[in-house]
Amino acid sequence: MTTILVTGAAGFIGSNFVRLLVKRKEPVRLVAFDKLTYAGNLANISDLLGDQVIFVKGDICDTDKVVRTVRDYHVSQIVHFAAESHVDRSILGSGPFVQTNVVGTQVLLDIAKSERIEKFLYVSTDEVYGTLPEDRPDIKFTEETPLQPNSPYSASKAAGDCLVRAYFHTFGLPVLTTRCSNNYGPYHFPEKLIPLFVTNLMENKQVPLYGDGKNIRDWLYVEDHCDAVYTVLQKGRFGEVYNVGGNNEMTNRQITEIILREMNKPWDKFVRYVQDRPGHDRRYAIDASKIKRELGWEPKHRFEQAIKTTIQWYRDNEKWWRDIKSGDYLKYYETQYAHR
Ligand code: NAD
Ligand code: DAU
């Protein structure tokens, strides 16, 4: 049976990926490898652990630990989700982003090469392309769009993209890259827009909308992203990049309105406009025609329904997010929002 090393498997998307493959009874063994940073939470996958899913605590920058894990479990494929993932935190300090997203990716690539890994999939982001004008809905990011990252987070992810590309061209490493738009769904860490706003409203707190609230993102339900990653892993062509998107562009104001309506909270009382994010990208939009044409993937979930499912998940799992929104999280919240 194929054994896949899933880095960052205790985070938001990595845990949903493991959950999806188990739910579908895919014939694979999964080694969930995670450092358990502030964003990693073993509770996200603890109900799945057993013969099919094994957890290993480790840092992707730790060569010995990763090599031992690859050998001990006869890993033949790597799906690399592990990253520092929050733009605002990268503005507060970019060191951990360069360490994990750049050095960590390089360490994994070297191990993939020396251990003769059969497939290496790098989970990247649409943010590597930079920003789009809001008044040109006809323009979207394609796989040919030049990389023009604008935040320390996206710069570190783009460095990873470049390393993956270089290992393909120089060493013939069997690599695949996906670049996805904004995800939402269960297990999303409550520092990101949707889970932050939903949980703040459940606590009867205001939601902080950056700038004029008109920045645009393309939202995709996390299960659709995970399905796309597995599709690329199975059918993608080595050395290729595949954009993944929801064809679902919305301003942050629109998202906020939908959440408020769904949670029965009035705009005037609960929305606080705050100082904008420095270097805030105005618009992301993905052209996902290549993955549809070549691999037959397209999103299955509609936003109107999936956002309701997501909000309900936060209602049903209050302990999960209340445990997170304490301790160190409070310090971060204070630093990020108190003086805006
Ligand atoms: P997340 O922050 O929720 O999870 C990241 C996980 O990686 C955590 O479990 C963390 O403990 C782990 N990790 C961090 N540093 C590590 C290290 N040095 N060694 C081992 N594990 C480490 O992130 P996410 O939102 O699930 O994103 C997963 C991946 O998908 C990232 O690579 C991100 O760039 C990419 N991505 C995210 C989105 C999105 O909307 N969230 C969209 C496109 C792409
Ligand atoms: O596009 C893919 C990217 O999406 C991923 O690569 C990143 O890992 C992921 O974090 C996400 O980045 P964003 O910066 O787009 O997501 P975030 O949820 O932080 O912000 C979404 C939008 O909402 C953005 O325009 C900023 C705005 N925002 C965010 C927060 C946290 C607010 O207005 N207020 C907030 O408090």
Side-chain angles (χ1 to χ4, degrees):
M1 189 190 277
T2 303
T3 300
I4 308 174
L5 183 79
V6 183
T7 72
F12 166 45
I13 306 175
S15 65
N16 274 284
F17 180 76
V18 170
R19 192 165 292 282
L20 180 69
L21 268 50
V22 170
K23 187 172 89 178
R24 284 192 193 162
K25 299 190 174 17
E26 296 292 347
V28 289
R29 186 165 68 148
L30 301 160
V31 179
F33 188 91
D34 202 293
K35 184 179 173 183
L36 299 182
T37 66
Y38 80 91
N41 187 346
L42 197 49
N44 295 358
I45 50 168
S46 50
D47 58 315
L48 304 171
L49 300 183
D51 289 345
Q52 192 184 6
V53 182
I54 295 142
F55 176 70
V56 175
K57 184 171 189 291
D59 187 334
I60 56 166
C61 302
D62 180 346
T63 303
D64 291 347
K65 181 80 185 185
V66 180
V67 168
R68 246 183 296 130
T69 305
V70 165
R71 290 184 186 166
D72 286 354
Y73 295 105
H74 305 286
V75 168
S76 61
Q77 302 184 1
I78 296 178
V79 178
H80 176 29
F81 290 99
E84 287 295 335
S85 69
H86 192 35
V87 174
D88 291 327
R89 288 190 193 248
S90 80
I91 295 167
L92 294 174
S94 61
F97 287 75
V98 173
Q99 184 61 24
T100 285
N101 302 357
V102 186
V103 177
T105 300
Q106 172 258 316
V107 167
L108 290 176
L109 287 165
D110 274 342
I111 292 169
K113 179 166 152 274
S114 62
E115 300 299 311
R116 300 184 189 284
I117 291 298
E118 290 162 14
K119 288 186 186 185
F120 182 99
L121 189 150
Y122 176 62
V123 181
S124 190
T125 166
D126 60 358
E127 299 203 9
V128 297
Y129 296 122
T131 186
L132 291 166
E134 62 196 314
D135 57 351
R136 289 292 306 274
D138 53 313
I139 305 179
K140 296 185 178 204
F141 298 133
T142 73
E143 290 82 357
E144 275 70 50
T145 304
L147 303 190
Q148 291 185 316
N150 290 322
S151 72
Y153 161 70
S154 54
S156 67
K157 289 296 292 185
D161 281 67
C162 293
L163 284 167
V164 169
R165 177 189 157 86
Y167 274 63
F168 174 72
H169 285 277
T170 308
F171 306 114
L173 205 73
V175 299
L176 300 152
T177 299
T178 56
R179 294 188 186 135
C180 188
S181 60
N182 286 62
N183 287 211
Y184 66 99
Y187 301 99
H188 204 180
F189 194 88
E191 65 188 349
K192 311 281 169 62
L193 178 81
I194 290 181
L196 175 69
F197 281 22
V198 169
T199 57
N200 270 15
L201 292 172
M202 286 176 73
E203 294 175 298
N204 257 324
K205 279 166 54 176
Q206 288 190 309
V207 298
L209 199 50
Y210 293 163
D212 62 4
K214 291 185 183 164
N215 298 66
I216 295 168
R217 298 290 183 265
D218 170 8
W219 293 93
L220 178 70
Y221 192 56
V222 63
E223 197 172 291
D224 282 327
H225 181 196
C226 295
D227 180 43
V229 168
Y230 196 57
T231 302
V232 173
L233 186 70
Q234 288 182 298
K235 302 197 276 187
R237 286 184 292 134
F238 292 141
E240 292 292 315
V241 173
Y242 295 92
N243 279 354
V244 182
N247 198 19
N248 182 41
E249 285 180 59
M250 271 188 272
T251 65
N252 295 334
R253 284 170 69 143
Q254 286 172 310
I255 295 277
T256 306
E257 274 162 17
I258 291 169
I259 294 173
L260 287 167
R261 196 169 55 238
E262 207 48 51
M263 301 187 69
N264 249 324
K265 303 279 188 199
W267 180 281
D268 291 343
K269 190 166 167 212
F270 283 98
V271 177
R272 183 165 69 93
Y273 282 99
V274 300
Q275 195 189 341
D276 209 355
R277 171 186 281 176
H280 196 175
D281 284 337
R282 195 61 176 167
R283 171 175 167 246
Y284 302 144
I286 277 278
D287 175 343
S289 54
K290 177 178 172 183
I291 188 171
K292 183 175 180 192
R293 192 175 59 247
E294 288 191 12
L295 310 183
W297 177 88
E298 57 185 333
K300 295 191 181 78
H301 294 86
R302 291 183 58 80
F303 186 82
E304 298 70 25
Q305 182 53 47
I307 189 69
K308 289 187 183 161
T309 310
T310 302
I311 294 171
Q312 191 56 44
W313 188 86
Y314 283 89
R315 287 191 178 117
D316 294 342
N317 291 276
E318 233 181 285
K319 180 167 164 32
W320 180 89
W321 59 262
R322 282 197 190 275
D323 283 353
I324 293 171
K325 280 186 133 182
S326 59
D328 284 350
Y329 180 93
L330 291 175
K331 277 185 237 149
Y332 163 75
Y333 198 83
E334 177 76 9
T335 313
Q336 178 61 20
Y337 295 103
H339 307 293
R340 282 191 116 94

